[in-house]
Amino acid sequence: MDSHIYGVSKKTLFLFAILCLSVSSISALPHQNKAGNSTGTGQMINSNSVLVALLDSHYTELAELVEKALLLQTLEEAVGKHNITIFAPRNEALERQLDPEFKRFLLEPGNLKSLQTLLLFHIIPQRVGSNDWPGHKSNPSRHTTLCNDHQHLITQNSGKKLVGSAEVTRPDDVIRPDGVIHGIERLLIPQSVQEDFNRRRNLRSISAVLPEGAPEVDPRTHRLKKPEPPVRAGSPPVLPIYDAMSPGPSLAPAPAPGPGGPHHHFDGESQVKDFIQTLLLYGGYNEMADILVNLTSLATEMGRLVSEGYVLTVLAPNDEAMAKLTTDQLSEPGAPEQIIYYHIIPEYQTEESMYNAVRRFGKIGYDTLRLPHKVVAQEADGSVKFGSGDGSAYLFDPDIYTDGRISVQGIDGVLFPEVEKESTSFKKSVSSVKVATTNPRRAWLSSRD
């Protein structure tokens, strides 16, 4: 006979405890997505993340190594906890200045740990901008990297900034809310990886980095070529685009300096005219062009933003999708503007950059000009799908217009934020007296013309 505790046998209590532990352990496991990757908390990465910027930047060789080293999940977790600083070698340093034997050593499957250590040696788990470097009279600052090694930041008397022994050639090259990327002249190699490579080769005198060649000489002037200036024409404005859209005079530089042209600045009005004309000539997007030019003053607004140095990506619904809009959705004051604002991303994205991002990270949240709503993108059927459920839209006509400042991507549906979808379905299910509510957020637009 089993002994009882308050009328319940000990065997029953023991089985109940095992069941509770099993359920809690199963719920604690990370979820798996369709690709088999662990998603942890299931949070999607923002399109404005420094990781997305790295994979879509001109540091293509470093981005490929990060993917081959299977470090995306590790870096996502690091970005989720704190800001990061990435020291990115230029492509030439990884293509031509790296010993081919050392590169083969890194890419061998058995040396994955060495490759991961090498790449994490270039990342600091905190934000270190160019202004945070120590002065030339100060002692070098010591920072711990993601591989638990250390990097020393130094400023020479000439003003050059160094990371270890590598010169920083592009300080603050990429700045994002969760991190910053500095371009450096060559690869940084931790001592442990160098020793592992030398141990495999049994040659301790072999250096992983080839010596630099002779200085480049300009054949026209027979003088040494000067390095590129750190600040290039056409750098993004200091203010966020939402501050430039606020009522009243804009504080952003207008017009922003451009890389070329007779006026040496961005001509946003001409660029907006070009992309609207392209929509009309492309065919199937007449309704979108009509809203931008005639129904609202958004064309003027977009031209001003581009002139001030901002970049925009327009998700343009085609005429078939626009024809499905009801009178109720367009009749409320400010409704056309709010619909279009949700289709404008304050970033420059192409079909390739968006597809690469969703392929690598699963889901991407793009900021829109309709704060605080985001457009969620994910990979579906070999393309990019925006939104979810019945209100989703696919990338239908990619790269209709791309000029480096404005990108237009054709989609086959009109997108609405999740909150608005719920309110729209509620209006359809309940037939009552309709009360129109005005949204004063963009009322100043109409008075600007």
Side-chain angles (χ1 to χ4, degrees), residues 222-273:
H222 301 286
R223 296 180 180 179
L224 293 178
K225 288 186 177 181
K226 296 182 179 180
E228 296 181 1
V231 179
R232 293 164 294 173
S235 56
V238 177
L239 284 178
I241 189 171
Y242 307 103
D243 292 340
M245 291 173 59
S246 61
S250 173
L251 300 179
H263 303 291
H264 304 287
H265 62 75
F266 295 118
D267 189 356
E269 183 179 351
S270 298
Q271 288 177 275
V272 170
K273 287 182 179 178

Side-chain angles (χ1 to χ4, degrees), residues 27-90:
S27 62
L29 290 176
H31 299 287
Q32 299 286 327
N33 56 22
K34 292 183 179 180
N37 299 323
S38 174
T39 58
T41 59
Q43 293 181 351
M44 65 180 176
I45 191 169
N46 198 308
S47 66
N48 206 23
S49 172
V50 68
L51 296 183
V52 179
L54 172 65
L55 296 176
D56 194 36
S57 66
H58 47 267
Y59 301 107
T60 55
E61 291 291 324
L62 179 64
E64 289 181 6
L65 288 179
V66 169
E67 288 194 272
K68 291 178 180 178
L70 308 178
L71 286 177
L72 285 180
Q73 183 68 26
T74 302
L75 296 182
E76 284 185 50
E77 294 175 357
V79 168
K81 296 177 182 178
H82 35 58
N83 278 210
I84 63 173
T85 299
I86 302 176
F87 303 108
R90 53 197 179 121

Side-chain angles (χ1 to χ4, degrees), residues 419-434:
V419 178
E420 188 167 325
K421 290 179 185 177
E422 295 176 1
S423 62
T424 303
S425 61
F426 177 76
K427 287 181 181 179
K428 291 181 179 179
S429 60
V430 180
S431 59
S432 59
V433 179
K434 184 173 60 178

Side-chain angles (χ1 to χ4, degrees), residues 366-378:
Y366 290 100
D367 292 325
T368 66
L369 293 190
R370 184 175 179 181
L371 280 175
H373 300 292
K374 294 176 179 287
V375 170
V376 179
Q378 57 186 321

Side-chain angles (χ1 to χ4, degrees), residues 343-409:
H343 290 74
I344 300 179
I345 300 172
E347 305 173 26
Y348 186 79
Q349 298 285 345
T350 62
E351 184 258 349
E352 180 181 6
S353 66
M354 288 191 291
Y355 181 75
N356 287 340
V358 298
R359 182 177 62 85
R360 286 161 173 150
F361 295 104
K363 282 188 178 182
I364 299 291
Y366 290 100
D367 292 325
T368 66
L369 293 190
R370 184 175 179 181
L371 280 175
H373 300 292
K374 294 176 179 287
V375 170
V376 179
Q378 57 186 321
E379 182 184 11
D381 303 326
S383 181
V384 181
K385 176 184 175 183
F386 301 96
S388 59
D390 296 336
S392 61
Y394 283 84
L395 185 56
F396 190 70
D397 291 319
D399 296 339
I400 296 177
Y401 180 86
T402 53
D403 64 359
R405 310 297 302 176
I406 301 176
S407 171
V408 181
Q409 307 294 326

